[in-house]
Amino acid sequence: MADCIFCRIVSGGLPAAKVLETPRVLAFLDIAPVNYGHTLVIPKEHHENLLDLPDDLWTEIGRVSRQVARALQKALYARGFNIGMNNFEAAGQEVFHAHVHVIPRHTHDGLQLFPQGVYQPGDMEKVGLQLRQALGGR
Ligand code: AMP
Ligand code: ZN
């Protein structure tokens, strides 16, 4: 897509610090890293989000994400890593070309994960039922 910045990176129209490329997937450094080495893994074809990705392409993105994670451990001495993906505007997606964030983590690096809450009494059972029904179960 002409007006998609990640498609422009794939086609070479925009520069990027590429770290790994396969025939269908590209990994490059996020321009605004959470930690040094923060990498984005994208399909070369334009798909907007996880729900649009063909299964085999999602599998390939997972494989490349794992390779990147191992490289972050080896080259940058990451002690761990987070895998993240923002899907749709409500979840904070800003670039509408599917991408997985591979974020290297270090002990006591100060990053906070999502704040967590509690279910009101009975709600956990209700929500579980709603999801099972949506998934075709009971
Ligand atoms: P999100 O859509 O919220 O998952 O975020 C998009 C990510 O793309 C952000 O972390 C940006 O820093 C990153 N980003 C945007 N433009 C570029 C670019 N030209 N090169 C590398 N990373 C980018
Ligand atoms: Zn695109």
Side-chain angles (χ1 to χ4, degrees):
M1 260 179 71
D3 60 348
C4 170
I5 54 172
F6 288 177
C7 282
R8 286 172 62 198
I9 286 175
V10 170
S11 68
L14 264 184
K18 295 182 183 178
V19 298
L20 182 61
E21 193 165 359
T22 72
R24 298 182 75 194
V25 171
L26 178 66
F28 57 94
L29 295 184
D30 192 304
I31 204 167
V34 172
N35 277 330
Y36 271 32
H38 175 175
T39 299
L40 300 177
V41 182
I42 68 168
K44 289 184 178 177
E45 277 171 18
H46 184 87
H47 296 280
E48 274 197 27
N49 56 52
L50 176 59
L51 301 186
D52 296 332
L53 281 173
D55 285 349
D56 60 338
L57 194 47
W58 176 233
T59 299
E60 176 71 3
I61 289 169
R63 190 177 298 127
V64 169
S65 298
R66 262 205 307 226
Q67 284 178 278
V68 168
R70 289 195 187 100
L72 292 171
Q73 291 182 312
K74 189 172 169 186
L76 300 183
Y77 307 106
R79 299 300 300 268
F81 57 91
N82 291 114
I83 297 285
M85 187 175 193
N86 302 324
N87 290 281
F88 299 96
E89 199 176 344
Q93 186 174 3
E94 289 180 357
V95 177
F96 292 89
H97 179 132
H99 53 280
V100 165
H101 295 257
V102 187
I103 301 170
R105 298 297 306 273
H106 304 281
T107 310
H108 307 308
D109 64 11
L111 283 179
Q112 300 286 328
L113 294 178
F114 296 112
Q116 288 179 270
V118 291
Y119 282 106
Q120 296 304 308
D123 282 354
M124 198 170 180
E125 291 75 14
K126 277 188 213 157
V127 172
L129 178 63
Q130 285 174 303
L131 291 179
R132 285 194 298 282
Q133 285 173 340
L135 289 164
R138 297 179 152 262

